Amino acid sequence: MFKHWKQGLASAIAMATLAVPLTANAELTDGKVKIGVLSDMSGVYKTLEGPGAVVAAKMAIEDFGGSVLGKPVEVISADHQNKPDIGASTAREWIDAKEVDMITGLDNSSVGLAVQGLANDKKTITLNTGAGTTALTEEQCTPYGIHYVYDTHALPVGTATAMVKNGGKSWFFITADYAFGHSLRDNTGAVVKSLGGEVVGNVNAPLSTNDFSSYLLQAQSSGADVIGLANAGQDTVNAIKQANQFRIVQSGQKLAGMLVFITDVHSMGLDIAQGLQFTTAFVWNQNEETLEWSKRFYERHGAMPTMVQAGVYSAVTNYLKAVKETGTDDSDTVRAKLGEMTLNDMFVKNGSILPNGSMLHDMYLVEVKKPSESESEWDLLRVVSKIPAEEAYIPLSESKCRLVN
């Protein structure tokens, strides 16, 4: 299966772009490689990606030796403020005036889609590590857009499947009212229905909502077995904390955090979050390799890495590998090389980038530990099961991406 996907990559890129042949004697267009980290540096997603993504990108560059092809690698960053127009205008300035070669981060689906579309017009690679919507690799896929860490199809495959099989047949959603939340709700609902469950209701909540009481009361009165939180970051933290105040779980309903980060669990505390199951791409203390890198990250950032921040490190590392192996920063050439590579580092094992831009890799269903089980401040999760890559992501045979079919 993997072999056929990789074989199809070169032809898909060739059809969509004017591919430049790999040339050992090619050079960097401006004598350096410049990487832009465009993230939420001040808002609801600041903790899950934000400044930590810049730390991760700089670590990747340093670990790579600080240069590629004998030329320096630079990183710049900016705050997109969760506004697509600001994200797109920043990306335009970076590409046109500052000669940025690759953009990563993009932890907001509306921003991610806007920037990916603009970058495609300018033939610039984006390695989106923070947004969730499957539109990035489906309806709005581009030859230069890569979706790297997770998507709203991979998340419910683990979490919703486990909850439905454990009796959570009826669901009510509290949804972040923009592209990401809608995509996560719809994909989760599809999983629930495929397993014989039903969706009994939904309510949309604006981004950066502080008071979830009215939404939680609607969910509680629905009588649903499971209240699905199709949101992220501080919105998820606020919703779970307030659900605890309403004693929703104690009354018999279950909460499903459809996108939860370790920083969210740390913020809530184990007394509130214990027993919560969710799907992630990275666990900081899963093995010696993740542990060593995460401790170095902690020394710089003061918090253990989220899957998104770890993904930035991996994305930057593999982008630089592709530049080194091809001898150029030409986007067509580098994108083709990325599609040929098998990705192996502390974040991903045997990963591959498909013709639609999806980075195929295993995911993990985890559960928050009880306070008595935790051995340190950040020892918060245990792995319940591994979700194989081919189960987590949309099969190419079902893809709506124009580069595939």
Side-chain angles (χ1 to χ4, degrees):
M1 184 181 297
F2 297 112
K3 181 177 180 181
H4 292 311
W5 284 340
K6 289 184 177 182
Q7 287 175 340
L9 176 60
S11 59
I13 295 297
M15 288 186 291
T17 65
L18 295 176
V20 177
L22 303 186
T23 306
N25 296 322
E27 298 178 353
L28 303 181
T29 52
D30 57 352
K32 63 179 178 293
V33 169
K34 185 174 286 188
I35 293 169
V37 179
L38 186 55
S39 186
D40 177 2
M41 301 292 182
S42 58
V44 67
Y45 299 147
K46 172 184 176 180
T47 303
L48 66 89
E49 189 172 80
V54 181
V55 171
K58 290 181 177 179
M59 287 177 65
I61 293 168
E62 291 170 13
D63 290 350
F64 204 79
S67 65
V68 62
L69 303 175
K71 302 296 183 180
V73 182
E74 300 177 9
V75 61
I76 62 173
S77 62
D79 185 353
H80 58 55
Q81 301 177 43
N82 290 301
K83 297 178 179 178
D85 57 338
I86 291 178
S89 64
T90 300
R92 181 180 293 107
E93 179 188 3
W94 278 1
I95 296 168
D96 291 345
K98 298 187 177 180
E99 298 181 302
V100 165
D101 299 292
M102 185 272 279
I103 300 174
T104 189
L106 303 169
D107 52 338
N108 176 300
S109 289
S110 297
V111 173
L113 289 167
V115 173
Q116 179 172 285
L118 179 139
N120 178 65
D121 293 340
K122 296 180 177 295
K123 297 188 176 182
T124 299
I125 290 174
T126 55
L127 281 158
N128 191 312
T129 54
T133 180
T134 52
L136 288 162
T137 55
E138 292 295 299
E139 296 88 349
Q140 298 187 49
C141 68
T142 73
Y144 303 100
I146 297 171
H147 202 182
Y148 204 82
V149 174
Y150 73 97
D151 67 23
T152 54
H153 183 274
L155 295 175
V157 168
T159 309
T161 298
M163 298 199 78
V164 173
K165 288 184 177 179
N166 286 326
K169 297 292 186 180
S170 60
W171 287 59
F172 185 100
F173 288 100
I174 298 176
T175 303
D177 194 13
Y178 76 108
F180 156 73
H182 297 172
S183 180
L184 184 53
R185 175 199 62 205
D186 294 345
N187 280 284
T188 304
V191 171
V192 170
K193 293 173 184 177
S194 72
L195 295 171
E198 62 175 334
V199 176
V200 299
N202 170 77
V203 61
N204 294 328
L207 186 66
S208 301
T209 295
N210 291 319
D211 185 2
F212 279 87
S213 57
S214 64
Y215 310 120
L216 288 166
L217 288 173
Q218 290 182 60
Q220 191 174 38
S221 64
S222 74
D225 299 325
V226 180
I227 300 172
L229 302 176
N231 51 18
Q234 192 59 44
D235 284 350
T236 299
V237 173
N238 289 341
I240 293 176
K241 284 183 175 180
Q242 290 167 35
N244 185 63
Q245 294 170 2
F246 281 101
R247 299 186 63 80
I248 285 178
V249 174
Q250 294 87 334
S251 300
Q253 289 176 297
K254 297 179 181 179
L255 284 179
M258 300 314 302
L259 178 56
V260 178
F261 296 87
I262 190 170
T263 47
D264 301 331
V265 177
H266 185 266
S267 175
M268 288 183 281
L270 295 183
D271 286 337
I272 292 176
Q274 62 180 305
L276 181 68
Q277 290 189 344
F278 60 93
T279 301
T280 185
F282 180 80
V283 180
W284 73 269
N285 56 352
Q286 186 172 4
N287 55 53
E288 289 299 321
E289 192 176 11
T290 59
L291 180 63
E292 185 277 332
W293 183 84
S294 297
K295 285 182 175 179
R296 290 198 290 125
F297 179 89
Y298 180 86
E299 290 173 358
R300 295 185 177 215
H301 189 57
M304 286 300 175
T306 64
M307 65 171 172
V308 168
Q309 291 159 344
V312 168
Y313 177 91
S314 176
V316 171
T317 298
N318 284 298
Y319 174 80
L320 293 176
K321 285 181 180 178
V323 171
K324 181 180 179 180
E325 290 185 21
T326 59
T328 180
D329 57 3
D330 172 76
S331 292
D332 295 297
T333 308
V334 172
R335 176 62 182 88
K337 171 54 69 173
L338 284 166
E340 297 170 1
M341 293 166 55
T342 298
L343 310 182
N344 282 294
D345 53 41
M346 63 84 197
F347 174 78
V348 59
K349 298 301 177 189
N350 298 317
S352 58
I353 298 173
L354 306 184
N356 63 356
S358 180
M359 200 277 273
L360 195 73
H361 60 287
D362 297 334
M363 301 288 286
Y364 301 93
L365 179 67
V366 298
E367 182 174 278
V368 178
K369 291 183 175 182
K370 299 176 182 177
S372 60
E373 297 172 331
S374 176
E375 298 180 357
S376 64
E377 178 186 3
W378 288 90
D379 180 28
L380 305 174
L381 310 175
R382 69 177 184 88
V383 176
V384 176
S385 61
K386 181 172 75 172
I387 306 164
E390 58 269 26
E391 295 179 12
Y393 292 91
I394 298 173
L396 282 184
S397 60
E398 299 176 11
S399 178
K400 299 175 183 177
C401 174
R402 62 185 175 82
L403 305 176
V404 177
N405 299 316

